[in-house]
Amino acid sequence: MTATATAATTSAHFTHLKCKECGAEYEPQAIHVCEYCFGPLEVRYDISQLANTVTRQTIEAGPHSIWRYRPFLPVTSDNPIDVGTGMTPLVKANRLARRLGLKNLYIKNDAVNMPTLSFKDRVVSVALTRARELGFTTVSCASTGNLANSTAAIAAHAGLDCCVFIPADLEAGKVLGTLIYAPTVMAVQGNYDQVNRLCSEVANTHGWGFVNINLRPYYSEGSKTLGYEVIEQLGWELPDHVVAPLASGSLYTKIYKGFREFVEVGLVEDKAVRFSGAQAEGCSPIAQAFRENRDFVTPVKPNTIAKSIAIGNPADGVYALDIARKTQGQIESVTDAEIVAGIKLLAETEGIFTETAGGTTIAVLEKLVAAGKIDPEEKTVVYITGNGLKTQEAIQGCIGEPLTIEPKLASFERALERSRTLERLEWEPVLV
Ligand SMILES: *Cc1c(COP(=O)(O)O)cnc(C)c1O
Ligand SMILES: [Zn+2]
């Protein structure tokens, strides 16, 4: 064995893949379903080795990116693909909190995650690092938009060939934000679930690394960093309540796994955390199952402006249901109109412009508060996962317009007076 190979293996703390259903164990290769029961595979770690080697200080001394948590991520390389992903702001949202009647509200702002402005950069940084270790030279994905942006960008940085699959009806910003990195883009005439089925067939025949199919066990581990960072940013403490969007349900379940791992290795004191989830009514199979008290998820056909979370047949839906129930959380859905209102509310109170997934999460937060499901005193963290500049279509016609004026002071004064009059008409109560 060469010196580098020894160094590489001694620095890794993950050991194998394990079936979430029957417990069968596998070597950490590019596989994602159990041969015996078709259950999903998950990465396992040597927890006692982690507890013995990782401290708050070793993490704090690490890079300002997700790779400060490298011992908790499924890679062997000492040289992972680091494009500055992670360590996004955790903002105390006082104005939004006051508007909703809360006292202790935080926004985890992945609308400014690097390099493509969504939380997907976390999962892709991990998946492509692992893809390289496993010898793949072409990477791919089935995407609702953000994943294609991220896979194309990070593949470009790493010098990997890239071919991505998207539904043909995505927002212009998501398509452009992929094409700029010059991958091959397949716009499939169908919804995400059809794209995903096609990609499973391609993965079997072409030997490519699909970040969310054959590399899915590694990919999904990247979302745990959304849990680790919040703990660290709260001063090594768990929150009381989290609210996160649900598409496949992966992100939501992995925040939970991240919290549990930090408790298990002694990095943070244990405490009950409630997990609430957000879906768009036009694609809410998990929320429907929650409401009807079912432990299975019935697939639906998506029809919503929240395209980034429009997965009708969510792979991790049952695991998300389980977490919501055992933590006393809620899974709620909101209409497209409420999603637009949520986008505007976050922008106007906190100066954060999120996409439709974030609007969904804010609208669900509002709904949970109104229903008394979130206590005003609870330390609540809301996960904002994507950037509003990518889904401009969603708010077109729902926001103000600039006042066009001549380059003259008088023209400015007239326009200012007019806008103040309009504001008074909108805001002052009508006296009768
Ligand atoms: C993909 C995505 C999600 C949810 O992802 P899952 O892990 O599949 O539940 C949430 N928000 C945005 C913006 C996304 O792109
Ligand atoms: Zn199994």
Side-chain angles (χ1 to χ4, degrees), residues 19 22 34 37:
C19 173
C22 77
C34 179
C37 75

